[in-house]
Amino acid sequence: MNLKTLAQELGLSPTTVSRALNGYPEVSEATRIRVMKAAEAANYRPNTQAKRLATGRAMAIGHIIPISTRHEIVNPVFADFIAGAGEVYARRGYDMVITIVPDDQEARAYAELRSKGNVDGVLVHAPKVEDHRIAMLDHLGLPFVLHGRVSGIESSYSWVDVNNVRAFTRATNFLLDLGHRRIALINGIGNMDFARRRRRGYEQALTARGIAPDPALITEGEMTEAQGHDAAREMLQLSNPPTAFLTASLLSAMGARRGIEEAGLKMGRDISIVTHDDELGYLKNGTAEEPIFTATRSSVREAGRRCAALLIDQIESGDRTPRHELMEAVLVLGQSTGPAPTA
Amino acid sequence: MNLKTLAQELGLSPTTVSRALNGYPEVSEATRIRVMKAAEAANYRPNTQAKRLATGRAMAIGHIIPISTRHEIVNPVFADFIAGAGEVYARRGYDMVITIVPDDQEARAYAELRSKGNVDGVLVHAPKVEDHRIAMLDHLGLPFVLHGRVSGIESSYSWVDVNNVRAFTRATNFLLDLGHRRIALINGIGNMDFARRRRRGYEQALTARGIAPDPALITEGEMTEAQGHDAAREMLQLSNPPTAFLTASLLSAMGARRGIEEAGLKMGRDISIVTHDDELGYLKNGTAEEPIFTATRSSVREAGRRCAALLIDQIESGDRTPRHELMEAVLVLGQSTGPAPTA
DNA sequence: CTGAAAGCGCTAACAA
DNA sequence: TTGTTAGCGCTTTCAG
């Protein structure tokens, strides 16, 4: 069933039917209703491709996922972001087009998406310090929104990010308030922008209390269980070992926990862990002496929603002045994951 | 840059240029080369929407992800599948369109995808026992491939699946060979087809050795850390507790490990764990007395590739006779994750 | 081997 | 308020 035949059945022109269906004002209420009913009855749906060609709008948003670095796709957090963004796309009639590319071909992927007219805009994931993609997208003229920020870049662009500095300042302060003075940081890959900011928050909190950050207590890398385990084992063998760990992910925290137990120490008695990730409800129901965490997964989903909404707004309004949203992480202590963080 | 202007610049008709670019035989090698060069120089890419409209092919594959049940999107394994499928799509020129829907609207989502002509086929995830989606897609006439199978359905369809029965039979036998007689199963949600099959494999192995499966040693549910922990705690309080755990996911295994330690038992001395999931390299480097696991994540990625390739083949060939691929899980013991499982 | 012309299904000026 | 006409950018007969 297409427009033309539907129009014929109704004894109307395709134009009128189109207008009625798309809510144009200049069509009489009577015919509109008649058309709507007929369309409903015939189970008519406008052909997407034709619509796209005619309007010049792809009604789709692209997400490019580079894969040679495993972090992005393996990170469970990515799925949450997609879920959040997908909710918004569904609501607003957009398709989500995901492209997997070896990361040395990422630039070409954006350019192709652009020149083939596949998408109206893109969402950019996992920005690195001084990420080159910003300049490239600017140059392409393809609307985009970053999930995260890029520290080393002066040009302005739209982004949605969580306040990583503040989250880690608070988490560090929490441990300091408990009396800890030797606090280790198990962080993400150093050139990821979020990791840089988290480290800054941690160091600022220490410095503010007159404690010099100790490089021996900081490790950066892929946020896996093994990372947490190895780091904990190693650090606990120092002559002046940490009494607490602050980790950037739940997996690292689990690993650290294992390392701690292998060293014969007991969680909450000898040592504490704070993690940034609420991922799977692990580490919940603790007391103040036990692990706490800040909410990541729920906020990533919310970030997905906001990125998507922001991008669609920009596309539909044509207004390209950069906009930002900074979300606060929620510190979760001794209870299950709370609602998504507030702005 | 579009076909028309490119043709003008070359002093050729759009037809000829199109033919040259699309590899039609009836164009002279000389002009083909000339056209190719010009296209390259002008950085010309055919407009996707126009191509789609003209050919009637969407050059896109849909993935519908229902979200009210959290399992799918939260499961890290899903990201691996997407990565694998995405590789193939990229190679063969297809877009991957992901739709997130509240799971009570899944049927409508497929119907819309179909009638709007958004995609040429769909990949179906996480089949349940007696999954109704098969009948629906059959009825819609939309080509599809299942990742997994549906036990309770007689109609035939294409699928790619891992041999869950055999994986769990082998894992159970491994524990039996070590001398265990009280083996617990921490399984996925009961109405998921894969969970049903895993259970069957486990029970078959026990029965074959004359051991009656004990319902008190079987638990089914969302495969979280908490599930593993709670199940382990509970089962270890039985008057006749298990000496080994077989879990369907790494997270459950981690949880079980925590539960075991809380109970004052020691891994590898008092108790063993085998898990189906190689997720993050956890539990590796064990001895025979220590945990082993079968490769899931790497095989899921491979499954993604195969599903995508199978679907595209069917779409392009027009041949709708159902095809299947059964992959064997690889038992990984005392070493890091191996290569993807072989067929 | 190349080109002219029609058409994919829709939207959007412009007329009436 | 409705219809006519052109056109989005490509592919694909059908002629030459």
Side-chain angles (χ1 to χ4, degrees), chain A residues 302-325:
Chain A
E302 176 63 15
R305 288 192 202 97
R306 294 190 189 194
C307 279
L310 184 51
L311 183 52
I312 291 178
D313 285 346
Q314 297 208 340
I315 289 169
E316 297 191 342
S317 71
D319 176 8
R320 294 292 145 75
T321 54
R323 276 189 283 163
H324 325 297
E325 294 191 35

Side-chain angles (χ1 to χ4, degrees), chain A residues 2-3 15 18 22 24 44 47 51:
Chain A
N2 61 15
L3 232 210
T15 317
S18 169
N22 291 303
Y24 282 68
Y44 166 77
N47 179 292
K51 200 163 191 160

Side-chain angles (χ1 to χ4, degrees), chain B residues 2-3 15 18 22 24 44 46-47 51:
Chain B
N2 60 17
L3 231 209
T15 316
S18 170
N22 290 302
Y24 281 67
Y44 166 77
N47 178 291
K51 199 161 191 159

